[in-house]
């Protein structure tokens, strides 16, 4: 993308025609171009240049501009070059202000540094960036510090970001430091230097005209001193390589050119050792011989290297499986096994199960697979080959498979034996033990894992006794069983989960608003119900005093009067032996109906639910008080 270059005189005129938001010093050399790549006519910056090669660049509007993957709206101070020219731009940049303007935000969208642009454009709906190479500040997120990076956009909608070339810099503040920067172009190779760190980048997407520049983006004020652009007076003509370097590599290994010198001969016949060359042709993840070419401008020289697979030299069984003796037909278990490998590059590592394969008599052996070959059997360990990794060696260990199969299993029954409709089987507490006779005639027992057996026969869709069958996975003819019971849950009581208001004025009607009634079932379930009866026969608000409301629900058994008191002394305790433990007992319901409770010797405390009912005003006052104090007392 190309745009007619904005001349300095036009920029100067625009500055005064846009209500004074920008000013450009008359000291700017006429060969430099000042503008920005944001929207045309939106000029909110100052650029001042002096005769001592100093340029001050300042954004005058908060959050003006953006430096990101999707947009490069930057203010630039640029010079035009032909893409065939070789040059170097350098400057010392001092960050005077960064993200300090009122209402400043998103410091990661700002940047300051030097660059080479492919075009000088203005942002439109269709254009928000072009190819470019930047040596400037970068932060991945708004909370990150800044660092100088090499950043390139080479026919891509995203920038390629290098490792940091500087120490971290605060993303907000004044006088954040000075940094010496340079970009040197030789052909398509650009060497970017920040202090004593450098990065070489190849740019192949630049068109005929390019623009080295100083730049800022967003909430930045910066001073560029010792600004220089020098054009090379000679060009590389040829290259020779002296010395030798490493030429044989292992898959994935980085290229190492230590030991060689690249000597360039220029078109004026002078020679020079160079280090700012491009390296092409090396792929660490491609095996075989490769030609590696060193390039500086039009000069180049090549060496041949070879990349070989990483080879497995040893496979070690560090720990054999915990279980090494089996009944015929038993299931293999690798638990406790550890495999490691030693490689041709001298390294070693403990392997994950997916990195190796076990075989017995040439057949793959996996966890849970039946072993039917009897005798002492060798299990071989093979490292799985993949791209860049080869293995010609194996490891091994031995297991013993007895001639007899598992003949019995026994079950310690689970804790839960009572179930209700819809419940799921709970194996907690269940232990399954297998046994067989080994080759010496001894009985061998083993507590099984859940993967060594199956459980069938349980269903809770219907009530009744259920026979649970446990079957050995190693021998399906071997089973054990036990019974559980499935019941339909029964309502035991009702409860008021949320009370309505309990204080009324004389003559006021009962208000059930807010009351929630629940049924408590014998399996512990508590469920709200909306179908219940409210008995107001005892509810009386004709005079001051206490009254009662009784609740009943369908399916709930009637309450029985257990004891009745006409007078209770202070701090009196009531203790009584349950009358119907050994003998039948007659009780009365609320309605006066007599009910015989049969003797129940096995009854215990958890089978009872008691409810106290009293209209005594003192008692009612006590149970309705919400105490705010803990009162402790001693003798009285």
């Amino acid at each position: 993308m190309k745009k007619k270059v904005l001349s300095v005189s036009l920029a100067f005129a625009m500055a005064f025609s846009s209500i004074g938001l920008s000013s450009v010093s008359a000291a700017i050399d006429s060969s430099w171009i000042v503008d920005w790549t944001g929207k045309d006519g939106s000029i909110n910056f100052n650029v001042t240049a002096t005769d001592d090669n100093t340029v001050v660049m300042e954004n005058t509007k908060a959050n003006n501009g953006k430096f990101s993957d999707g947009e490069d709206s930057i203010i630039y101070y640029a010079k035009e070059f032909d893409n065939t020219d070789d040059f170097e731009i350098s400057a010392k940049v001092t960050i005077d202000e960064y993200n300090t303007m009122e209402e400043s935000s998103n410091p990661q969208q700002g940047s300051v540094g030097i660059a080479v642009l492919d075009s000088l454009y203005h942002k439109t709906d269709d254009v928000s960036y072009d190819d470019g190479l930047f040596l400037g500040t970068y932060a991945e997120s708004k909370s990150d510090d800044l660092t100088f990076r090499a950043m390139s956009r080479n026919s891509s909608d995203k920038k390629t970001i290098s490792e940091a070339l500087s120490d971290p810099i605060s993303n907000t503040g004044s006088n954040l430091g000075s940094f010496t920067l340079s970009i040197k172009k030789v052909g398509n190779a650009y060497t970017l230097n920040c202090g004593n760190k450098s990065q070489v980048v190849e740019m192949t997407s630049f068109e005929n005209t390019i623009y080295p520049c100083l730049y800022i983006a967003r909430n930045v004020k910066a001073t560029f001193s010792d600004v220089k652009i020098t054009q090379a007076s000679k060009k590389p003509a040829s290259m020779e390589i002296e010395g030798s370097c490493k030429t044989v590599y292992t898959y994935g290994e980085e290229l190492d050119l230590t030991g060689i010198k690249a000597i360039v001969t220029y078109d004026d016949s002078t020679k020079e050792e160079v280090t700012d060359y491009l390296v092409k042709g090396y792929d660490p993840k491609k095996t075989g011989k490769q030609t590696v070419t060193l390039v500086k401008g039009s000069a180049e020289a090549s060496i041949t290297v070879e990349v070989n697979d990483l080879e497995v030299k040893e496979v070690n069984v560090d720990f054999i499986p915990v279980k090494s003796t089996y009944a015929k037909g038993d299931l293999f278990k690798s638990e406790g096994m550890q495999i490691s490998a030693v490689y041709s590059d001298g390294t070693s590592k403990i392997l994950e199960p997916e990195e190796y394969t076990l075989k017995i008599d040439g057949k793959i052996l996996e966890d849970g697979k039946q072993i039917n070959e009897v005798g002492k059997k060798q299990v071989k360990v093979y490292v799985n080959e993949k791209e860049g990794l080869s293995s010609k060696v194996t490891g091994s260990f031995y297991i013993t498979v007895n001639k007899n199969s598992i003949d019995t299993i026994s079950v310690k029954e689970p804790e839960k034996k009572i179930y209700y409709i819809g419940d799921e089987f709970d194996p907690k507490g269940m232990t399954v033990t297998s046994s067989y006779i080994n080759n010496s005639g001894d009985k061998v027992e083993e507590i099984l894992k859940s993967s060594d057996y199956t459980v069938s026969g349980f269903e809770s869709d219907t009530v009744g006794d259920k026979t649970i069958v446990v079957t050995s996975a190693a021998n399906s003819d071997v089973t054990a069983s036990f019974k559980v019971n499935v019941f339909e849950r029964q309502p035991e009581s009702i409860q008021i989960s949320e009370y309505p208001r309990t204080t009324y004025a004389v003559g006021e009607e009962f208000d059930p608003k807010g009351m929630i009634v629940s049924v408590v079932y014998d399996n512990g379930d508590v469920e709200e119900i909306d179908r219940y009866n409210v008995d107001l026969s005892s509810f009386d608000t004709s005079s001051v005093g206490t009254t009662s409301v009784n609740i009943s629900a369908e399916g709930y058994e009637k309450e029985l009067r257990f004891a009745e008191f006409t007078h209770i002394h202070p701090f009196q305790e009531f203790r009584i032996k349950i009358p119907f433990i050994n003998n039948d007992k007659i009780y009365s319901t609320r309605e006066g109906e007599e009910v015989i409770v049969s003797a129940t010797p096995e009854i215990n405390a958890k089978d009872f639910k008691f409810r106290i009912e009293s209209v005594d005003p003192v008692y009612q006052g006590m149970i309705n008080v919400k105490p705010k104090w803990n009162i402790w007392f001693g003798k009285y």
Side-chain angles (χ1 to χ4, degrees):
M1 179 182 69
K2 295 298 175 184
K3 182 178 185 291
K4 184 177 180 181
V5 175
L6 179 67
S7 70
V8 67
S9 58
L10 178 56
F12 189 75
M14 288 179 65
F16 285 96
S17 65
S18 55
I19 59 175
L21 294 178
S22 172
S23 65
V24 180
S25 170
I28 295 178
D29 183 274
S30 61
S31 63
W32 289 85
I33 307 161
V34 179
D35 201 351
W36 86 312
T37 57
K39 289 185 178 180
D40 194 8
S42 176
I43 304 174
N44 297 284
F45 55 85
N46 290 324
V47 178
T48 304
T50 62
D51 292 334
D52 63 350
N53 297 322
T54 298
V55 179
V56 179
M57 305 180 72
E58 178 182 14
N59 203 332
T60 59
K61 181 182 178 181
N63 305 321
N64 185 43
K66 187 176 182 180
F67 188 76
S68 65
D69 275 339
E71 180 180 341
D72 289 335
S73 292
I74 64 172
I75 301 161
Y76 58 78
Y77 180 71
K79 198 172 182 69
E80 180 179 323
F81 276 83
D82 191 278
N83 194 20
T84 60
D85 294 334
D86 292 337
F87 57 81
E88 181 174 11
I89 179 172
S90 62
K92 180 180 180 180
V93 58
T94 300
I95 305 175
D96 302 314
E97 304 286 343
Y98 199 100
N99 203 48
T100 58
M101 300 177 68
E102 189 175 351
E103 299 182 358
S104 293
S105 65
N106 294 319
Q108 82 281 7
Q109 294 179 358
S111 186
V112 55
I114 62 177
V116 180
L117 307 178
D118 193 26
S119 66
L120 304 180
Y121 60 91
H122 280 299
K123 178 185 173 183
T124 65
D125 291 340
D126 299 323
V127 177
S128 59
Y129 59 82
D130 197 4
D131 292 333
L133 176 65
F134 303 86
L135 175 57
T137 57
Y138 169 81
E140 185 172 356
S141 70
K142 65 174 64 178
S143 61
D144 291 340
D145 285 337
L146 308 171
T147 52
F148 276 89
R149 309 282 186 107
M151 299 169 281
S152 59
R153 195 192 292 275
N154 212 353
S155 295
S156 172
D157 59 354
K158 293 185 180 295
K159 293 187 181 79
T160 299
I161 312 294
S162 76
E163 296 297 320
L165 301 177
S166 73
D167 292 333
I169 309 161
S170 175
N171 69 12
T172 302
S174 304
N175 303 316
L176 298 181
S178 298
F179 305 87
T180 302
L181 312 176
S182 68
I183 299 177
K184 183 178 181 180
K185 175 186 182 297
V186 179
N188 290 332
Y190 292 78
T191 303
L192 295 80
N193 294 289
C194 177
N196 60 0
K197 294 185 178 180
S198 65
Q199 178 84 29
V200 179
V201 177
E202 183 179 22
M203 295 296 296
T204 58
S205 61
F206 282 161
E207 298 184 31
N208 298 332
T209 306
I210 56 178
Y211 302 89
C213 67
L214 319 176
Y215 80 92
I216 63 171
R218 212 167 176 84
N219 306 309
V220 178
K221 179 182 179 182
T223 300
F224 296 83
S225 57
D226 299 327
V227 178
K228 296 178 184 177
I229 292 186
T230 56
Q231 187 169 350
S233 59
K234 55 185 179 182
K235 291 182 176 293
S238 62
M239 180 188 294
E240 295 177 350
I241 295 176
E242 295 181 357
S244 61
C245 64
K246 182 176 180 178
T247 57
V248 179
Y249 294 86
T250 300
Y251 184 90
E253 191 176 1
E254 295 300 322
L255 184 67
D256 181 3
L257 298 179
T258 303
I260 66 170
K261 296 180 179 180
I263 309 299
V264 168
T265 300
Y266 293 93
D267 55 6
D268 64 356
S269 299
T270 59
K271 292 187 177 184
E272 178 186 22
E273 181 185 349
V274 297
T275 57
D276 56 343
Y277 47 75
L278 292 172
V279 179
K280 297 183 176 183
Y282 181 70
D283 185 349
K285 294 187 177 180
K286 180 181 178 181
T287 57
K289 291 187 176 182
Q290 301 181 23
T291 298
V292 178
T293 304
L294 282 54
V295 180
K296 184 176 177 67
S298 59
E300 60 182 51
S302 300
I303 58 173
T304 300
V305 300
E306 185 176 1
V307 178
N308 296 317
D309 280 342
L310 180 65
E311 288 188 48
V312 178
K313 292 297 185 182
E314 295 179 23
V315 179
N316 298 315
V317 181
D318 303 325
F319 304 106
I320 65 172
V322 173
K323 183 174 180 177
S324 59
T325 302
Y326 294 84
K328 182 181 179 181
D330 208 347
L331 309 183
F332 176 72
K333 294 184 180 68
S334 65
E335 181 183 12
M337 182 173 65
Q338 178 176 296
I339 307 297
S340 64
V342 179
Y343 299 97
S344 57
D345 62 356
T347 62
S348 63
K349 64 172 287 191
I350 296 172
L351 302 182
E352 299 296 329
E354 62 270 15
E355 295 182 287
Y356 59 84
T357 299
L358 305 179
K359 291 185 179 182
I360 185 169
D361 293 340
K363 299 177 182 178
I364 293 177
L365 181 63
E366 297 175 329
D367 273 338
K369 186 173 183 178
Q370 281 191 310
I371 309 172
N372 292 305
E373 301 84 357
V374 300
K376 186 176 182 180
K377 310 300 293 185
Q378 183 185 45
V379 179
K380 290 187 176 182
V381 185
Y382 297 82
V383 175
N384 297 332
E385 293 187 330
K386 60 181 180 179
E387 185 180 7
L389 177 66
S390 60
S391 178
K392 303 286 191 295
V393 295
T394 61
S396 66
F397 61 93
Y398 287 87
I399 61 174
T400 299
V401 183
N402 286 272
K403 63 182 179 180
N404 294 322
S405 301
I406 291 173
D407 51 21
T408 60
I409 58 172
S410 60
V411 178
K412 176 188 173 185
E413 297 181 10
E415 298 173 5
K416 186 172 182 178
K417 301 295 292 295
I418 302 298
Y419 292 85
Y420 293 89
I421 295 292
D423 282 354
E424 294 183 356
F425 179 69
D426 183 0
K428 182 180 178 182
M430 184 172 74
T431 303
V432 180
T433 304
S434 69
S435 64
Y436 68 94
I437 304 302
N438 67 13
N439 293 344
S440 300
D442 299 322
K443 183 177 181 179
V444 179
E445 293 186 332
E446 179 185 359
I447 296 177
L448 301 182
K449 295 183 179 297
S450 59
S451 58
D452 295 329
Y453 57 84
T454 60
V455 177
S456 60
F458 179 81
E459 59 87 13
S460 60
D461 295 335
T462 59
V463 299
D465 293 343
K466 310 294 179 180
T467 300
I468 309 303
V469 179
V470 180
T471 304
S472 167
N475 185 350
S476 60
D477 294 330
V478 177
T479 62
S481 64
F482 59 93
K483 290 184 180 295
V484 299
N485 307 105
V486 178
F487 296 93
E488 187 169 358
R489 67 180 186 175
Q490 299 296 325
E492 285 191 332
S493 64
I494 62 172
Q495 67 180 28
I496 300 178
S497 302
E498 296 287 343
Y499 279 84
R501 65 187 179 97
T502 57
T503 302
Y504 292 84
V506 172
E508 193 173 4
E509 293 184 354
F510 174 70
D511 180 9
K513 182 179 180 181
M515 181 171 68
I516 297 177
V517 179
S518 302
V519 173
V520 180
Y521 292 90
D522 56 359
N523 68 342
D525 290 346
V526 178
E527 291 184 358
E528 292 182 17
I529 57 174
D530 52 16
R531 297 184 61 185
Y532 54 84
N533 299 317
V534 180
D535 180 5
L536 298 177
S537 60
S538 299
F539 182 77
D540 182 8
T541 60
S542 60
S543 61
V544 176
T546 59
T547 187
S548 62
V549 176
N550 297 315
I551 307 296
S552 62
E554 184 179 349
Y556 165 66
E557 295 180 2
K558 297 178 179 179
E559 290 182 342
L560 305 177
R561 181 175 297 151
F562 186 75
E564 185 175 7
F565 305 90
T566 58
H567 183 75
I568 300 177
H569 295 284
F571 304 102
Q572 179 178 340
E573 290 186 354
F574 172 68
R575 296 174 182 270
I576 186 173
K577 184 177 181 180
I578 303 300
F580 49 83
I581 290 180
N582 298 314
N583 301 294
D584 294 348
K585 177 70 176 177
I586 298 175
Y587 285 95
S588 296
T589 67
R590 180 183 297 279
E591 294 78 12
E593 178 186 354
E594 291 188 342
V595 176
I596 299 177
V597 178
S598 302
T600 313
E602 68 274 11
I603 200 165
N604 55 57
K606 69 178 182 179
D607 298 317
F608 288 89
K609 293 183 183 296
F610 289 97
R611 183 171 64 85
I612 299 174
E613 182 178 278
S614 174
V615 296
D616 184 86
V618 175
Y619 176 77
Q620 289 295 321
M622 290 175 62
I623 65 174
N624 286 303
V625 167
K626 296 182 178 178
K628 297 183 178 178
W629 305 94
N630 289 322
I631 301 174
W632 299 82
F633 61 91
K635 295 182 179 179
Y636 57 89

